[in-house]
Amino acid sequence: MLRLVGYGSRAAIRPAAAALAPLRGARAPQLRFNSTQSASASASASAQASSPVAEKLHHLEDEISDKLLGFDHHPTAIPETTLHSDQIGYLESIGLAQGWGPTAMVERLLEAAHVYTGLPWWATIVVATVAVRTVMFPLYAKASANAAKMMPVKPELDAAMQAMREASSPQEQYQAMNQRKQILKKHDIHMSHQMLPVLQLPVAYGFFQALRKMGNANVEGFETQGTAWFTDLTQVDPYLGLQAITAAVVMLMIRKGGETGGSTMSEPVKKLMMALPIASIFITKSFSAAVVLYFCTNSVLSLVQTTLLRSAGFRKLLKLPPMVAPPVVEGAPKSPQTISEWYQGFVKRSKDSAIKSARDTNNKLEALHKKREMSTGGFVKRHKK
């Protein structure tokens, strides 16, 4: 058997060349054809074809053609399987749902929802998204409760942060940090709880990758089990309708206070955040309908969650602290209302920070210079050995 190393490489042809080496010195039989010797020439050619040398040449030629594939050869991307999409194990049989990462776990979830509910793929994506968001809702509720506790003491926390930024010595900075820590402890505020919604990122990544791979693999039913204007989940939304719905819902959710219902973003930051959903329409326009359907469903659920967490009756039912507006402190600097005011304030804070840093450096250099001048005679006394 020939062992081929690679396409088009010399190493791949060496075994064949070695097998043909004994034949290099052999001269091909010279046959003279004329009208009187056609029968003998035919018999001679037949004998040559049946010779052992010819058989060996044909064998090597067939084996090389079987092993060496042309550059226009493309292996089958999707393995053949006898299973169907309404059977558990179908995705694994075509190379998906392997391993225990976020993508594989989401693929298994989608397959189980599709098989056990009998729903078409578009409804399967919606149901799986609702199930995951329902399981993760307690994390958002905990973050919302923590945000509600921060609202009444927000001016105190802002003052402590300002003192930390303006501290002229490590001692002053430590005092400001300790003051902020005491405020958080007194009101049972845990800054780590504000990061709980970030746990949705691996799940969102898993859904994105799973649906992208399932669309590229032409999973059975993906081409026909869409709905409305996006009947083919493997293709892009022809009207960008899902992208437009997603953008509109996200913008409304931002205006209502984010997913926890208690965001304290300033107006300029909100305006910047409002531009992101519009940009996402152009970013996701080439994504398959299956992926954008997940984005759309997830954004609608976020809006529903925001509405519930802003409801006083719902918060009372879940025994969450009420959501109140931060108190207004007299004499406190007015928060910027436009992007221009926010940018000017940012530039001013950066300039003040640079001036403060230069002043601190100058003070340290002056102190070092005075220390040197106070030394006796300006020299450092050395002891004799």
Side-chain angles (χ1 to χ4, degrees), residues 20-31:
L20 295 175
L23 303 178
R24 290 177 182 172
R27 298 181 60 185
Q30 298 180 355
L31 300 179

Side-chain angles (χ1 to χ4, degrees), residues 118-338:
L119 294 171
W121 276 116
W122 76 267
T124 299
I125 296 171
V126 173
V127 168
T129 307
V130 172
V132 171
R133 288 302 298 255
T134 303
V135 172
M136 297 189 66
F137 179 76
L139 300 179
Y140 290 94
K142 202 173 188 67
S144 180
N146 196 70
K149 295 176 184 178
M150 291 179 62
M151 290 294 189
V153 295
K154 186 177 183 299
E156 299 178 41
L157 292 173
D158 291 344
M161 288 296 296
Q162 185 68 19
M164 288 172 57
R165 288 192 293 263
E166 297 178 353
S168 58
S169 64
Q171 292 79 8
E172 292 182 3
Q173 189 174 22
Y174 174 78
Q175 291 176 358
M177 291 175 60
N178 188 57
Q179 179 185 358
R180 181 173 179 271
K181 184 178 179 181
Q182 293 299 324
I183 296 173
L184 295 176
K185 184 177 180 180
K186 178 181 178 181
H187 297 275
D188 192 29
I189 300 173
H190 303 275
M191 299 305 297
S192 59
H193 291 179
Q194 296 300 112
M195 303 300 295
L196 291 177
V198 178
L199 295 177
Q200 74 164 330
L201 294 180
V203 178
Y205 173 80
F207 267 97
F208 168 72
Q209 285 286 54
L211 294 171
R212 184 184 66 84
K213 290 182 177 180
M214 291 170 71
N216 292 339
N218 288 327
V219 169
E220 185 181 51
F222 254 50
E223 293 183 352
T224 58
Q225 294 181 18
T227 187
W229 65 91
F230 52 97
T231 56
D232 189 348
L233 295 176
T234 65
Q235 301 298 319
V236 299
D237 183 343
Y239 305 107
L240 298 182
L242 292 173
Q243 286 89 339
I245 295 173
T246 303
V249 170
V250 171
M251 293 171 68
L252 183 58
M253 180 190 64
I254 292 174
R255 296 302 301 177
K256 283 181 170 291
E259 291 184 304
T260 60
S263 176
T264 57
M265 291 185 295
S266 62
E267 285 301 318
V269 175
K270 281 186 178 181
K271 291 178 181 178
L272 288 175
M273 294 293 292
M274 295 284 280
L276 295 179
I278 298 176
S280 70
I281 296 178
F282 303 96
I283 296 174
T284 62
K285 67 178 182 179
S286 61
F287 290 178
S288 65
V291 174
V292 188
L293 175 60
Y294 163 72
F295 290 156
C296 183
T297 306
N298 196 51
S299 62
V300 171
L301 293 175
S302 297
L303 179 61
V304 172
Q305 177 179 281
T306 300
T307 304
L308 291 175
L309 291 177
R310 289 181 64 86
S311 170
F314 186 79
R315 297 186 72 88
K316 186 177 181 180
L317 179 64
L318 295 185
K319 298 181 180 180
L320 299 176
M323 193 71 69
V324 296
V328 179
V329 180
E330 295 183 2
K334 184 180 178 181
S335 60
Q337 298 298 315
T338 63

